[in-house]
Amino acid sequence: MEIQQFPPFTITPRHFHPIPNSTHHPVLVSPLKQQRNLLKLSPLFCSSSHSHPVMQDPILQQGNEPFGKSRDTHYKNSRKKRVFFLDVNPICYKGSIPSLQSFAHWISLFFSQVSLTDPVIAVIDGERGNEYRRQLLPSYKASRRKYWHQLQGAVKSPRSTIERSHRLILDVLQNCNVPVVKIESHEADDVIATLVEQVIQRGHRVVVASPDKDFKQLISDDVQIVMPVPKFNRWSFYTLKHYVAQYNCDPRSDLSLRCILGDEVDGVPGIQHVVPGFGRKTALKLLKKHGTLENLLNAASVRSVGRQYAQDALIKYADYLRRNYEVLSLKRDVSIHIEEQWLNERDARNDSLVLSNFLTSLKDSRNLNSQNRSHSIG
């Protein structure tokens, strides 16, 4: 996703004072460089008004229910250090509407009920991050581009508004001692996938904080997802155990399954658009037997793998499915390397102060904009 457009707002300086204990982690932008223009926020206290606790799955505390593994592996995973990756862009929306209030709400719950003092690395989409996928498939995230153009026409100076919104979000994360990574020409998903492998190689566990189902292809004994659930006003963990219970197959087949079924949200058409009878049940049955899309396509090219309609579809639309695979697969080769300081325990002592002042500034901005509109009408 992209952080696109937020309602105009004005931030007044009367609340801003230095925050103690802030280590001011850098924002990394390609080419990598530090940006340290931080807001100075006042020491106000904000008690949480959210009574719903996060749905804590015991797997998160004790390691995943092993998929074909022993209890020793289960115990070993529970002793590994947790590192969180925060996919920032999706939580900046309320439904399909960009919202700084949504960001403030979900980040507050995330810090206070999910990550606590565990290391958090935030990742934001880089400029032109979708370009290479759009070249492969013009419909990729086309609805989001349409929405973006509509928003551009709704305000006089969208670029300045977007930049202010980005800056405020970055300031909140930095003042909460979270490093922020943004790599030009790369989507956040690919950056996270690249860094996840590096963290696992260091012997740690990973939790990806995002509602994006693309991350299911990363699920393993050492990788979990935690996603915001607006219906219950909390974050919920999704693990290897949940995946197996939902799909009854190895998560290594997830990407292949989505290539066959498509992804309407991202504008990736599934094979059922050209072969209506080829649905989830058929896809799961074939993938359970052959493991991956490529294995399935190779088998179909030399022998019968199922009913005639499925056989014909796999041969006729093999290139179609391989293109979907190229579009939907997360890349693991982004030019970014984890820094040891990002893996340190996060100092969370300023969280309530930072978020309280952020919410106060947004409230003041809404009041000011409301007054301005009243004056213009009058």
Side-chain angles (χ1 to χ4, degrees):
M1 286 188 174
E2 298 174 0
I3 303 177
Q4 297 179 352
Q5 177 68 47
F6 300 91
F9 55 85
T10 303
I11 302 298
T12 59
R14 65 189 181 86
H15 298 291
F16 302 154
H17 298 285
I19 302 176
N21 309 318
S22 179
T23 57
H24 300 333
H25 287 284
V27 175
L28 300 183
V29 184
S30 180
L32 305 183
K33 59 184 178 180
Q34 296 183 357
Q35 300 179 4
R36 297 175 179 272
N37 294 325
L38 304 179
L39 289 177
K40 303 300 183 179
L41 306 179
S42 64
L44 301 179
F45 178 77
C46 177
S47 60
S48 175
S49 61
H50 310 298
S51 58
H52 298 284
V54 67
M55 186 172 71
Q56 288 284 1
D57 192 297
I59 300 169
L60 182 73
Q61 302 299 330
Q62 301 177 1
N64 280 323
E65 184 73 21
F67 191 75
K69 301 282 182 154
S70 66
R71 287 183 176 270
D72 289 340
T73 303
H74 188 138
Y75 178 72
K76 184 185 295 185
N77 287 343
S78 71
R79 296 176 62 85
K80 291 181 179 179
K81 179 179 183 177
R82 279 192 316 184
V83 177
F84 284 85
F85 284 95
L86 176 65
D87 185 13
V88 176
N89 298 77
I91 64 172
C92 297
Y93 286 78
K94 183 175 183 180
S96 61
I97 306 300
S99 169
L100 286 173
Q101 288 75 20
S102 175
F103 167 76
H105 173 73
W106 288 113
I107 200 69
S108 176
L109 290 179
F110 178 72
F111 286 151
S112 64
Q113 300 177 353
V114 181
S115 67
L116 306 177
T117 60
D118 285 335
V120 178
I121 301 167
V123 185
I124 296 177
D125 285 337
E127 299 295 333
R128 300 180 301 280
N130 298 331
E131 284 303 311
Y132 104 91
R133 287 184 171 96
R134 288 173 181 168
Q135 290 175 5
L136 291 170
L137 182 64
S139 64
Y140 179 69
K141 296 188 177 179
S143 61
R144 299 180 194 180
R145 296 203 301 275
K146 180 180 179 181
Y147 181 59
W148 159 239
H149 291 310
Q150 290 174 344
L151 285 169
Q152 277 188 314
V155 295
K156 294 181 179 180
S157 55
R159 178 57 56 186
S160 61
T161 303
I162 297 167
E163 289 175 351
R164 288 200 305 273
S165 301
H166 278 214
R167 186 67 257 166
L168 286 173
I169 290 168
L170 294 178
D171 288 338
V172 168
L173 293 169
Q174 287 180 291
N175 281 314
C176 289
N177 299 311
V178 174
V180 181
V181 181
K182 177 182 178 182
I183 306 297
E184 185 175 350
S185 301
H186 290 286
E187 292 189 79
D189 298 9
D190 297 326
V191 176
I192 291 173
T194 299
L195 292 174
V196 162
E197 289 200 345
Q198 296 177 22
V199 170
I200 291 174
Q201 289 171 3
R202 282 170 163 76
H204 305 314
R205 290 186 292 157
V206 169
V207 183
V208 178
S210 174
D212 194 336
K213 57 184 173 292
D214 289 343
F215 289 114
K216 287 184 179 180
Q217 63 191 267
L218 300 180
I219 286 181
S220 69
D221 285 314
D222 291 316
V223 181
Q224 304 170 340
I225 299 172
V226 62
M227 56 189 70
V229 183
K231 180 179 180 180
F232 299 108
N233 194 36
R234 64 192 182 196
W235 291 82
S236 177
F237 288 98
Y238 187 91
T239 69
L240 177 60
K241 179 180 179 180
H242 297 125
Y243 184 92
V244 174
Q246 181 177 4
Y247 296 106
N248 191 29
C249 70
D250 191 316
R252 287 174 291 186
S253 298
D254 181 76
L255 176 58
S256 297
L257 177 63
R258 291 183 58 233
C259 291
I260 295 173
L261 299 180
D263 187 329
E264 291 186 6
V265 175
D266 285 346
V268 180
I271 199 170
Q272 65 269 26
H273 287 271
V274 288
V275 185
F278 203 132
R280 177 181 294 272
K281 185 177 179 179
T282 300
L284 281 171
K285 181 179 179 180
L286 292 171
L287 289 173
K288 285 186 68 175
K289 181 177 180 180
H290 297 277
T292 67
L293 176 65
E294 192 61 33
N295 288 345
L296 175 60
L297 294 176
N298 290 337
S301 68
V302 296
R303 67 177 187 272
S304 177
V305 296
R307 294 186 178 182
Q308 193 61 44
Y309 77 90
Q311 180 75 20
D312 293 343
L314 292 171
I315 294 173
K316 184 177 181 179
Y317 297 105
D319 290 341
Y320 177 102
L321 294 171
R322 288 189 172 102
R323 180 208 60 191
N324 281 3
Y325 190 94
E326 183 69 16
V327 170
L328 292 172
S329 62
L330 298 181
K331 309 306 175 186
R332 323 291 175 92
D333 58 357
V334 178
S335 182
I336 177 70
H337 297 284
I338 202 80
E339 295 189 13
E340 289 298 328
Q341 65 183 19
W342 299 351
L343 305 179
N344 294 335
E345 181 177 285
R346 188 178 69 87
D347 186 343
R349 288 175 290 178
N350 294 326
D351 289 0
S352 61
L353 310 182
V354 173
L355 294 169
S356 172
N357 283 276
F358 181 59
L359 289 168
T360 300
S361 68
L362 293 179
K363 181 178 179 180
D364 287 351
S365 174
R366 289 197 301 272
N367 291 338
L368 180 60
N369 289 335
S370 178
Q371 292 175 6
N372 291 338
R373 285 194 295 271
S374 298
H375 290 289
S376 63
I377 293 174

